[in-house]
Amino acid sequence: MYKILMTYNNVEGMDALFSNKDFKVEVHNKPNPEEFKKLIKYYDGLLVRSEVKVTADVISVAERLKFIGRAGTGIDNVDIFAAGQKGVVVSNVPDGNTISVAEHVIGLMLSLSRNIPEAYESLKSKKWERKTFLGTEISGKILGLIGLGRIGTEVAKRMLAFDMKIIAYDPFINKKSVKISGVELKTINEIYSQSDYISIHSPLNNDTLGMINANSIKKMKDGVRIINCARGAIINEKDLSNAINSGKVKGAALDVFLKEPPEDWTIIETNNVVVTPHLAASTKEAQIKIAHEMVEIIVNFFTKGLIKNAVSVTN
Ligand code: MLT
């Protein structure tokens, strides 16, 4: 019997794992680092979402661990190097939330352009302020995508229908591998200098950490709007807040933050910043798609020795 530690409590879509007699699944929702280190030694498999950090420290005491399933896309919360060195396979489910995230990006972009959250607040407090919330059309504007993978591509498809001009920067993609027509590949500096809206769709890594900062913002068009549903640490929050306060950046729509929940609320309290608490992938459809695929991956791994979506494998 394989013992699996699940560190989130949304078990919807996981029935095939819970009812499988080869597995015993135990749920400990978001253990703190000390609890996590005590627990992990008893398990063969681990399932995590983005809230729980699987550090080298945790992996070092995971005596039986063979498999980490990341129920989602981003793997920045798992030390895949430490896992790989210990022979622990890490698999993610990169496709299940693509559409949900793309739709959330568009929701944020429209909210930002039309001041929907502020107008909502105002009307709910019984004020009728039609003049205060003058918006802007997105039709005819240039959308610069940083990252043209699954989510970036789905955003592009939909925003072409809104008559936006789409440009994209992706260091891993060339003209031939672009999966959509109507998107022009550009350098990162061209994205900065030409875009009216910039939306981030890159993973967090050494190249993207803090890439939106005072220096890169200087290269952007005056009045640019920035959307981030990728990872908070890609943006230097203080620099963005200063740029919005100075008027260089018109506004931002953020679903992700440097620390979640935030410790420093500066960017959230900045005017013209629309925020949601890391909700882009939180739809019923995405969670069920991810759960089904994760169950298939973990069952096949332990019972058939099959590896799928591995982001770290050694030995
Ligand atoms: C992801 O990386 O899949 C999303 O950010 C959602 C999450 O797991 O929290």
Side-chain angles (χ1 to χ4, degrees), residues 45 128 234 267:
W128 187 257
I234 295 173
I267 189 65

Side-chain angles (χ1 to χ4, degrees), residues 26-158:
E26 290 175 349
V27 178
H28 290 271
N29 192 31
K30 299 185 206 162
N32 68 40
E34 280 319 301
E35 284 165 348
F36 198 14
K37 275 175 76 177
K38 282 188 195 140
L39 280 169
I40 192 71
K41 43 173 90 98
Y42 303 108
Y43 295 92
D44 306 291
L46 169 68
L47 294 175
V48 289
R49 293 193 53 188
S50 58
E51 300 100 329
V52 169
K53 292 216 175 324
V54 190
T55 58
D57 204 23
V58 169
I59 291 168
S60 70
V61 295
E63 287 151 21
R64 296 168 53 155
L65 196 67
K66 294 280 170 299
F67 176 86
I68 300 172
R70 165 68 179 93
T73 308
I75 43 158
D76 46 286
N77 60 317
V78 180
D79 191 326
I80 54 172
F81 182 71
Q85 279 198 327
K86 221 169 172 215
V88 177
V89 172
V90 183
S91 292
N92 68 346
V93 184
D95 209 15
N97 59 29
T98 303
I99 302 299
S100 294
V101 177
E103 289 181 357
H104 199 74
V105 168
I106 294 162
L108 287 182
M109 207 184 299
L110 292 170
S111 299
L112 182 62
S113 304
R114 304 304 299 269
N115 308 302
I116 291 171
E118 295 88 343
Y120 166 90
E121 279 280 333
S122 156
L123 189 53
K124 283 280 183 178
S125 57
K126 302 198 171 140
K127 290 186 211 143
W128 187 257
E129 299 182 297
R130 293 188 66 204
K131 287 208 178 102
T132 317
F133 301 116
L134 185 71
T136 184
E137 288 185 355
I138 57 176
S139 173
K141 303 282 171 15
I142 300 177
L143 169 62
L145 300 172
I146 300 181
L148 193 61
R150 293 178 178 84
I151 297 169
T153 301
E154 292 304 323
V155 170
K157 269 189 205 165
R158 286 157 179 74

Side-chain angles (χ1 to χ4, degrees), residues 189-250:
N189 283 334
E190 286 169 333
I191 296 290
Y192 292 150
S193 63
Q194 295 175 17
S195 306
D196 300 301
Y197 290 76
I198 293 178
S199 185
I200 301 166
H201 301 287
S202 316
L204 175 63
N205 56 37
N206 288 339
D207 294 328
T208 61
L209 177 70
M211 78 182 283
I212 305 298
N213 55 34
N215 277 336
S216 51
I217 290 172
K218 243 188 245 160
K219 299 178 190 167
M220 294 177 192
K221 260 190 185 173
D222 290 348
V224 63
R225 291 175 171 85
I226 298 173
I227 299 103
N228 188 11
C229 290
R231 282 295 178 265
I234 295 173
I235 293 182
N236 179 314
E237 293 178 349
K238 284 233 160 68
D239 288 358
L240 177 59
S241 175
N242 290 338
I244 294 170
N245 288 333
S246 76
K248 168 74 188 176
V249 172
K250 181 75 185 165

Side-chain angles (χ1 to χ4, degrees), residues 243-292:
I244 294 170
N245 288 333
S246 76
K248 168 74 188 176
V249 172
K250 181 75 185 165
L254 308 173
D255 183 52
V256 286
F257 302 90
L258 182 60
K259 287 267 171 345
E260 295 180 3
E263 285 169 8
D264 178 345
W265 295 79
T266 310
I267 189 65
I268 294 169
E269 289 171 345
T270 304
N271 283 337
N272 298 329
V273 177
V274 174
V275 289
T276 47
H278 203 148
L279 289 185
S282 295
T283 63
K284 201 172 170 63
E285 292 83 354
Q287 295 315 305
I288 289 178
K289 273 187 259 175
I290 289 172
H292 286 171

